[in-house]
Each structure stands twice: as structure tokens, then as C-alpha cells.
């Protein structure tokens, strides 16, 4: 690569698999959130019918069963995408550059290099979201088939606790997406964000 080109003008290339992963994540999460709103609004168990209603314009599915169909179809898409990405980063050993290490923790404590700290924060956020995503899938499976996966419900104590945990993962994932994007901007600017999709 031509060293005379400013680092801010050099193109950033991402692996095709990373681009596909981000697109599938974006679409599946959007489908799950909007269909989840439909489930909440239509299901008396969740309090949507008699309590706070979220405007239907944000809901997908039209009714309770429609929302469930969309939600669980998107769940499989999301879970398989997460599994394939996990296999991909394990085979390519990209996990060494994606997840937090002792060096990152040390950099956050003592480094004066702001860019190095931004990378460390990014890896910390990337690492912290993995158990949250797995928890969302695990608790969602328990809600999907509570009779077959009764042991998942038992892990959380009861149905109500399972429901609260599952719903709690949504704002955490949204917050992660915001933080992930902001840290990406700090580390590589808009070019880095664009490279993840195009």
C-alpha cells in the first residue's frame, strides 16, 4: 500500500464473512425487536393488552401468533448466525484480536494513549456482549418451548423471572449497539463503520 496516502484516506477492507454477519445480525435483531413488541402488545400474560401499549407502527406480525412466528423465525436466523461467527473466529483465530485481554485491562489502567484505550474499550464491550447474546438465546428458547425446555425455566426460578431476564437483554443489546458504533467511530471513523457493511 502507498505509504504516502494519509491513513485517514486509506480504504478499510473487512472479510466478506464479517460483512454478512453484521447484515444478518442487523436484520434479525430488527425483526426480533419489532415482533417482540407485537408479542408484548397482544399477549395478556405480558401486560401489553391492559398496561402500556407500544404504538403498533413499531410492531411486526399483526397479532399474537403472527408476532410469535416472526420472532422465532428471526431467532433461528440470529442464533445460527452467532454460531457460524463463533466457529469462524475460532478457525481464523480472530478471537485474539476481538476479545479483551490482560493487555487491554492494563492499557485502561495506565496507558496515556487514547487510541489504545479506545481499542481496549471496544474489545471489552465486544467481550461483554457475548454472554448477553447467549443469555437472550437461552432464555428465549425457554420461552419458546417451556414444556420441552422446562429445565431452562427452572434455571431462572420461574416463568416470570425468565421473562424479565429475556426482556432485559433487549435494552442491553441496544446500548451495546450504540457503544459499539461510537467506539468504532473513535477507532476508525465512518470508514470503519461503512466497511463492516459495504
Amino acid at each position: 500500500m502507498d505509504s504516502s496516502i494519509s491513513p485517514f484516506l486509506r480504504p478499510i477492507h473487512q472479510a466478506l464473512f464479517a460483512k454478512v454477519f453484521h447484515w444478518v445480525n442487523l436484520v434479525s435483531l430488527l425483526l426480533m425487536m419489532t415482533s417482540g413488541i407485537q408479542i408484548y402488545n397482544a399477549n395478556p400474560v405480558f401486560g401489553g393488552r391492559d398496561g402500556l401499549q407500544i404504538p403498533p407502527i413499531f410492531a411486526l406480525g399483526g397479532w399474537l401468533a403472527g408476532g410469535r412466528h416472526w420472532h422465532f423465525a428471526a431467532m433461528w436466523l440470529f442464533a445460527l448466525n452467532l454460531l457460524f461467527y463463533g466457529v469462524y473466529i475460532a478457525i481464523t483465530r480472530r478471537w485474539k484480536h476481538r476479545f479483551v485481554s490482560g493487555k487491554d485491562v492494563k492499557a485502561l489502567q495506565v496507558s496515556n494513549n487514547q487510541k489504545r484505550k479506545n481499542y481496549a474499550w471496544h474489545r471489552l464491550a465486544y467481550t461483554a456482549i457475548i454472554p448477553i447474546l447467549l443469555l437472550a438465546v437461552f432464555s428465549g428458547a425457554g420461552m419458546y418451548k417451556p414444556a420441552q425446555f422446562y429445565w431452562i425455566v427452572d434455571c431462572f426460578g420461574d416463568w416470570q423471572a425468565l421473562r424479565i431476564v429475556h426482556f432485559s437483554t433487549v435494552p442491553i443489546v441496544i446500548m451495546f449497539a450504540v457503544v459499539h458504533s461510537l467506539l468504532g467511530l473513535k477507532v476508525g471513523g465512518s470508514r470503519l463503520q461503512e466497511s463492516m457493511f459495504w
Side-chain angles (χ1 to χ4, degrees):
M1 182 174 289
D2 187 354
S3 60
S4 65
I5 300 175
S6 166
F8 294 104
L9 298 177
R10 290 175 188 162
I12 298 175
H13 300 287
Q14 299 291 343
L16 177 61
F17 201 97
K19 296 176 191 286
V20 171
F21 171 75
H22 278 86
W23 271 114
V24 173
N25 254 1
L26 185 66
V27 171
S28 59
L29 284 170
L30 183 61
L31 291 174
M32 283 192 294
M33 283 190 283
T34 53
S35 59
I37 289 171
Q38 178 61 51
I39 295 169
Y40 168 83
N41 279 349
N43 196 330
V45 174
F46 297 151
R49 281 189 192 171
D50 303 319
L52 173 69
Q53 277 275 320
I54 299 171
I57 193 170
F58 298 112
L60 173 68
W63 56 311
L64 177 57
R68 284 173 55 87
H69 290 326
W70 275 104
H71 198 72
F72 296 128
M75 175 200 73
W76 283 110
L77 183 64
F78 173 76
L80 289 173
N81 190 50
L82 195 62
L83 174 63
F84 290 149
Y85 190 69
V87 171
Y88 169 71
I89 63 172
I91 291 173
T92 60
R93 303 176 68 85
R94 287 173 180 262
W95 58 270
K96 290 185 174 183
H97 309 290
R98 294 291 186 267
F99 301 117
V100 71
S101 67
K103 291 179 180 178
D104 294 312
V105 174
K106 186 174 181 180
L108 290 172
Q109 293 173 335
V110 300
S111 177
N112 292 320
N113 184 330
Q114 190 56 50
K115 189 169 184 177
R116 176 67 183 90
K117 283 188 171 183
N118 288 339
Y119 275 114
W121 279 117
H122 206 150
R123 290 188 186 110
L124 181 61
Y126 209 83
T127 304
I129 198 60
I130 297 300
I132 301 299
L133 295 177
L134 294 175
L135 182 62
V137 173
F138 184 65
S139 58
M143 294 177 73
Y144 177 44
K145 297 286 186 181
Q148 291 86 345
F149 297 131
Y150 63 88
W151 54 273
I152 294 180
V153 180
D154 292 344
C155 285
F156 293 89
D158 58 24
W159 173 263
Q160 179 69 3
L162 173 68
R163 179 173 70 93
I164 291 170
V165 168
H166 188 68
F167 282 2
S168 298
T169 61
V170 177
I172 295 172
V173 170
I174 292 172
M175 284 189 293
F176 165 77
V178 172
V179 170
H180 185 48
S181 298
L182 291 175
L183 287 171
L185 280 173
K186 283 188 174 184
V187 169
S190 60
R191 294 177 311 115
L192 177 61
Q193 285 191 335
E194 290 168 7
S195 74
M196 299 310 299
F197 293 95
W198 309 109

